[in-house]
Every structure is written in C-alpha cells, then in structure tokens.
Amino acid sequence: MVKIVGIGGSLRPNSYTQVALLLAVQRVEALGAEVEIIDLRQLQLPFCTGAKEYPEYPDVLRLQDTVSRADGLILATPEYHGSVSGVLKNALDLMSFEQLSDKVTGLISVLGGQSNSNALNDLRLIVRWVHGWVIPEQIAIGQAWGAFSPEGKLLDEKLSQRFDQFAQSLVDNTRKLRGVD
C-alpha cells in the first residue's frame, strides 16, 4: 500500500493551508493510500542549525522517522512574501537526503491574494535538490478566504477537479516510481 505523509506549513489556527491539506488527504485516501499528517503546530522543533542530531528535541527524530517510512509527500504552504513559509522550510531543513530522496511529492500553496506559483516553484527546487520527484499537477489557491465553505468544502468545481487530478497523479506516480502496489 502507498504511504503518504502530509505536512502543512502554517501554524495559524483555522488555517486555509491545513484545510487544503485535509482535502488532498481525503482524496488520496479515497484512492487507497495510507496517509499520515504531520501537524507542525503540534511539534516542538528547533530552528535548523545544520546539526546532525537534535537530542534535546525528540520531535525532530519523530519527523525524520515518519518521513523516512513514507513513499510520498504532500507539502502544503501558505505563500508568505512570495515564497514558502519559514516553518515548512525549517521542517524540511531538519531532514536530509536520507529522509527525502526518492519521495514522490505533491505541492499545494495557499494565498490571500491572486494565485501564482512562487512558493510552488521554490518547493519544487527544494524537493529536486534532495533528489525527490515532484508530480506535475500542483495546486495554487488564490484568495483563499473565498475558496472554501464554512464546512471546509471547495466552492469552485474546477478547483475541486484539480484536487482529484492531483490525488490521482500522486498515488499513480508513487506506485510507479516507488514500485508500491
């Protein structure tokens, strides 16, 4: 079975990024994948210093071990000042090639303004640098304050279809590239 780990790069309560991540996770699970979400709001992670180990922060090892066991990833980030959030970048920096290489990865960005691809492009560079595989389907949700119903449902049918395509591509490509049923 395909095992996917989702990581959301927002610490804000009621985060649109977390809502988008949950929508993607539901669709990936509906395709038969096993998914675990790492909620960075629940972890005590230090700023990355480049150290090999962080023994005083057991959540670093928990993060690394969880990602190591995954076949693929969903990385979701709010776009802050034209790029990936610092909290997601820091979490990725606390890992190495050992955890991230060969992972098939789907990318989601959430913006308050107009949709663009800045954060997605930055994440694509990061994942490629650690020898990961990024699927071509990606999701950028502009004006996120108007994209969801109060229950967390997508209001735009085309965006909903993009989530379906994203999930299908992530599961199919993870199966192919990782050799998992």
Side-chain angles (χ1 to χ4, degrees):
M1 177 182 291
V2 171
K3 180 163 176 48
I4 305 291
V5 169
I7 304 174
S10 176
L11 298 179
R12 191 170 59 83
N14 305 313
S15 159
Y16 294 123
T17 300
Q18 293 298 120
V19 172
L21 176 60
L22 289 174
L23 287 171
V25 163
Q26 290 166 359
R27 290 164 194 232
V28 167
E29 286 177 331
L31 296 171
E34 177 186 337
V35 184
E36 182 175 350
I37 294 176
I38 296 174
D39 190 341
L40 297 177
R41 298 173 296 187
Q42 304 296 319
L43 299 181
Q44 296 296 314
L45 299 176
F47 285 115
C48 178
T49 63
K52 213 165 178 58
E53 295 179 353
Y54 296 84
E56 64 279 9
Y57 292 95
D59 284 343
V60 172
L61 187 56
R62 184 173 150 216
L63 171 71
Q64 292 171 340
D65 287 346
T66 302
V67 171
S68 288
R69 290 190 306 272
D71 299 304
L73 301 170
I74 301 171
L75 301 178
T77 186
E79 185 162 313
Y80 293 149
H81 303 301
S83 190
V84 61
S85 74
V87 69
L88 181 57
K89 178 65 166 80
N90 188 66
L92 293 169
D93 288 344
L94 288 167
M95 293 182 276
S96 70
F97 290 88
E98 185 178 328
Q99 290 85 35
L100 297 167
S101 289
D102 298 322
K103 299 296 189 248
V104 180
T105 306
L107 306 176
I108 301 170
S109 71
V110 177
L111 304 93
Q114 291 298 315
S115 180
N116 70 58
S117 299
N118 292 339
L120 296 170
N121 289 335
D122 289 346
L123 281 173
R124 195 171 287 282
L125 287 172
I126 293 165
V127 173
R128 185 175 65 218
W129 186 259
V130 294
H131 302 170
W133 299 90
V134 179
I135 62 171
E137 295 76 13
Q138 58 187 16
I139 298 171
I141 303 171
Q143 299 177 342
W145 43 267
F148 303 99
S149 72
E151 299 80 32
K153 304 281 187 219
L154 289 168
L155 298 175
D156 180 341
E157 184 56 35
K158 282 188 173 185
L159 184 57
S160 182
Q161 291 170 1
R162 286 187 56 83
F163 269 85
D164 290 337
Q165 293 163 349
F166 173 93
Q168 191 70 58
S169 179
L170 182 61
V171 172
D172 289 349
N173 284 297
T174 302
R175 285 184 176 132
K176 289 176 199 168
L177 292 169
R178 297 282 293 191
V180 180
D181 291 327

